[in-house]
Amino acid sequence: MTDWVRDDFPDLLWVALVVEQEGDNGARLFSALQHEWLEQTREAGYSVEMDGRLSSLERMPTDARNTLSSILSRPDNKKLIPDALRTIAAWYPDMPGRWAFAEIGAPSADDMDDMLDVLVSALTKCLQRQGKALTVTAPLGWLLINGRLHLQESQIPILASYPTDPGTRSMAEAMLTSMYGAARGLAVGTEATPRAEGGWPARFWNANWELTPCMSRDSAPDVMEAADVESAQTSALEQVNDLWNEFMGVAFSDGVDLYRPARHEVVCALAIRSIRAAYAMTQSPFMWGGEHGSAALRSLVETEILITWLHYKDDPNLYEKFISYGQGKQKLMRAHVEEAIGEAGGAENSRLSDLASFLDTRLGGEGAEMFMEVSVHPSFAGGSINTRSMAEGVGMQDLYSRVFQPLSASVHGEWSALDNYVVDRCINPLHRFHRIPVQYLTPMLGQDTLAAAIGSLKRVLDAATESLSEDADAPTDSA
């Protein structure tokens, strides 16, 4: 939906309904009205816009209103007042220019239904170029006959034959819609800016919330058959278990540099974490879809990049920095817990105390904690190094851009992920196709994310195995 529909359609509702009712002839009827209006008011003591806008009708002085009422009341102008417009004037009491549409009464329920059908039809047409072009001929025509819009010589024959010439119709519609946008853009911030009285566009759309319900064609996603879930789960578990057994053999069979064991510790920890993540994902079918499986898959991809980057750098200090960076984070957390206990005013808080004791054991006690530094860098590697720069450094830009980054949008709850999974379009045109929450609880199920996770796990373990083989070959006196 563009601003043309949001801001202009309610103000050009009169023209849109005439076009909806009369089609191509509606534009010609309005053009004839504009020329007659210009002729009748040429000698009048007032100058009033007849651009088809309801806001222009609202700003008319009394003399002008009397003149227009006289013109519209003639039998030959009956088609300029669609029945739906009278009903709309009754159901939208804040509509500007409603004085122009006589015999406004209390419509019946049938009138209401007919009015909504016509309104939806008019709006649907205005969402298409043909309907928009026919509707904007009114404000553009008024500018043209008043000398405020000038055409190029090549445009004149094309627009003069509109809308009767099928050969030039498409070109004319493109011209009209672009000219209207340009005219609107040039008028912004000037006295010539078309403005709907009293925020009518907003009131029109918001009134539709009360008059019409949300409509959704959404339905709950297909549910996998129990047999299919069991088969997929069994196959995935077999793969994860095989990968687990294979890696455990690697972790304990190759030699370890016990003088500087950080490489073995870090790589094994990252690999085992990845295996356990894939195992947990396999046990939970709701995690097989992109909505909830993205976090596990992103973690696997990030680990693959990290292990590959560390192996490429081949610097024992980086593995040690990785460990000390994490320990510093725990030290900082321990300080925050102590602060929270102090703020409790001496009140016993067993959960905080238990957490403080747990952190003490992980940090090795007060003596060990004294030698731990808390880093303020965003990464253990320091400086501006992050996952992206790591990926670029080892030629994994595509993996980062095409996999990690989109998965991050889902993990962080960015709009693209929310739009994909948890909101749907209301298909009621009078609600501007706004987004509404999906009306089912069950996440979308599928095996694509699970398959991607197992594939990613294999690459993580391949990278880990390569790194550990180099650790086994390292001399024990390396420093």
Side-chain angles (χ1 to χ4, degrees), residues 253-257 263-264 466-476:
S253 62
D254 291 337
V256 180
D257 181 1
R263 181 200 296 266
H264 189 271
E466 183 178 358
S467 181
L468 291 180
S469 65
E470 183 166 314
D471 185 42
D473 295 336
T476 57

Side-chain angles (χ1 to χ4, degrees), residues 115-125 428-430:
M115 177 268 289
L116 291 176
D117 288 343
V118 173
L119 193 54
V120 167
S121 178
L123 174 56
T124 303
K125 285 186 177 181
N428 182 350
L430 297 180

Side-chain angles (χ1 to χ4, degrees), residues 78-96:
K78 182 179 180 181
K79 293 180 178 180
L80 283 168
I81 310 293
D83 291 338
L85 188 57
R86 303 182 191 276
T87 312
I88 290 171
W91 280 97
Y92 296 83
D94 292 333
M95 185 180 83

Side-chain angles (χ1 to χ4, degrees), residues 356-436:
S357 298
F358 170 77
L359 291 173
D360 281 340
T361 61
R362 303 311 297 173
L363 293 171
E366 183 177 349
E369 184 180 344
M370 289 175 58
F371 297 98
M372 294 179 183
E373 295 183 357
V374 176
S375 173
V376 296
H377 291 295
S379 165
F380 74 94
S384 59
I385 296 176
N386 53 24
T387 303
R388 178 175 182 173
S389 59
M390 289 181 184
E392 291 174 348
V394 293
M396 302 175 81
Q397 299 97 320
D398 288 348
L399 180 65
Y400 180 88
S401 301
R402 300 174 186 176
V403 182
F404 180 84
Q405 200 167 42
L407 291 172
S408 296
S410 184
V411 171
H412 297 309
E414 294 177 6
W415 181 250
S416 59
L418 299 178
D419 199 23
N420 287 338
Y421 297 117
V422 299
V423 295
D424 184 35
R425 288 283 188 182
C426 168
I427 60 174
N428 182 350
L430 297 180
H431 283 200
R432 296 191 63 243
F433 304 111
H434 69 127
R435 297 176 179 89
I436 56 177

Side-chain angles (χ1 to χ4, degrees), residues 249-466:
V250 171
F252 286 100
S253 62
D254 291 337
V256 180
D257 181 1
L258 295 180
Y259 181 70
R260 302 188 73 172
R263 181 200 296 266
H264 189 271
E265 293 171 344
V266 170
V267 172
C268 284
L270 290 171
I272 296 302
R273 174 175 178 265
S274 297
I275 296 173
R276 289 161 67 90
Y279 179 79
M281 186 175 180
T282 302
Q283 295 282 20
S284 307
F286 284 154
M287 301 289 289
W288 295 359
E291 181 179 358
H292 299 295
S294 295
L297 182 54
R298 177 183 183 272
S299 173
L300 290 166
V301 173
E302 184 177 24
T303 302
E304 179 185 354
I305 293 172
L306 175 58
I307 293 178
T308 304
W309 183 80
L310 286 169
H311 179 66
Y312 171 77
K313 287 294 185 181
D314 194 23
D315 182 356
N317 293 320
L318 285 174
Y319 295 94
E320 293 167 359
K321 285 182 178 181
F322 183 87
I323 293 174
S324 61
Y325 181 82
Q327 289 175 328
K329 292 289 187 181
Q330 280 199 319
K331 178 179 178 180
L332 182 61
M333 182 179 178
R334 177 68 173 80
H336 289 321
V337 172
E338 286 287 352
E339 184 180 5
I341 293 175
E343 291 175 352
E348 183 65 25
N349 190 320
S350 59
R351 285 182 297 178
L352 285 176
S353 297
D354 290 345
L355 178 57
S357 298
F358 170 77
L359 291 173
D360 281 340
T361 61
R362 303 311 297 173
L363 293 171
E366 183 177 349
E369 184 180 344
M370 289 175 58
F371 297 98
M372 294 179 183
E373 295 183 357
V374 176
S375 173
V376 296
H377 291 295
S379 165
F380 74 94
S384 59
I385 296 176
N386 53 24
T387 303
R388 178 175 182 173
S389 59
M390 289 181 184
E392 291 174 348
V394 293
M396 302 175 81
Q397 299 97 320
D398 288 348
L399 180 65
Y400 180 88
S401 301
R402 300 174 186 176
V403 182
F404 180 84
Q405 200 167 42
L407 291 172
S408 296
S410 184
V411 171
H412 297 309
E414 294 177 6
W415 181 250
S416 59
L418 299 178
D419 199 23
N420 287 338
Y421 297 117
V422 299
V423 295
D424 184 35
R425 288 283 188 182
C426 168
I427 60 174
N428 182 350
L430 297 180
H431 283 200
R432 296 191 63 243
F433 304 111
H434 69 127
R435 297 176 179 89
I436 56 177
V438 295
Q439 298 178 50
Y440 54 85
L441 185 59
T442 306
M444 288 186 286
L445 298 183
Q447 300 180 44
D448 290 346
T449 305
L450 176 62
I454 293 177
S456 183
L457 174 61
K458 291 178 180 178
R459 294 193 300 273
V460 168
L461 298 182
D462 286 344
T465 299
E466 183 178 358

Side-chain angles (χ1 to χ4, degrees), residues 42-116:
R42 193 181 302 276
E43 304 300 329
Y46 52 81
S47 177
V48 179
E49 301 285 313
M50 179 50 68
D51 54 5
R53 296 183 178 276
L54 298 178
S55 52
S56 297
L57 296 181
E58 189 65 25
R59 288 191 287 269
M60 282 189 176
T62 302
D63 290 346
R65 293 186 180 194
N66 292 335
T67 301
L68 181 60
S69 295
S70 176
I71 295 174
L72 294 179
S73 64
R74 295 202 317 257
D76 59 319
N77 284 327
K78 182 179 180 181
K79 293 180 178 180
L80 283 168
I81 310 293
D83 291 338
L85 188 57
R86 303 182 191 276
T87 312
I88 290 171
W91 280 97
Y92 296 83
D94 292 333
M95 185 180 83
R98 41 197 313 269
W99 59 266
F101 313 114
E103 302 174 11
I104 298 174
S108 66
D110 290 340
D111 293 331
M112 171 75 164
D113 292 339
D114 291 342
M115 177 268 289
L116 291 176

Side-chain angles (χ1 to χ4, degrees), residues 8 132 136 140 175-188:
D8 286 5
K132 177 181 179 180
V136 301
L140 288 177
M175 287 182 181
L176 288 167
T177 54
S178 61
M179 287 166 57
Y180 182 77
R184 286 281 283 161
L186 290 172
V188 170

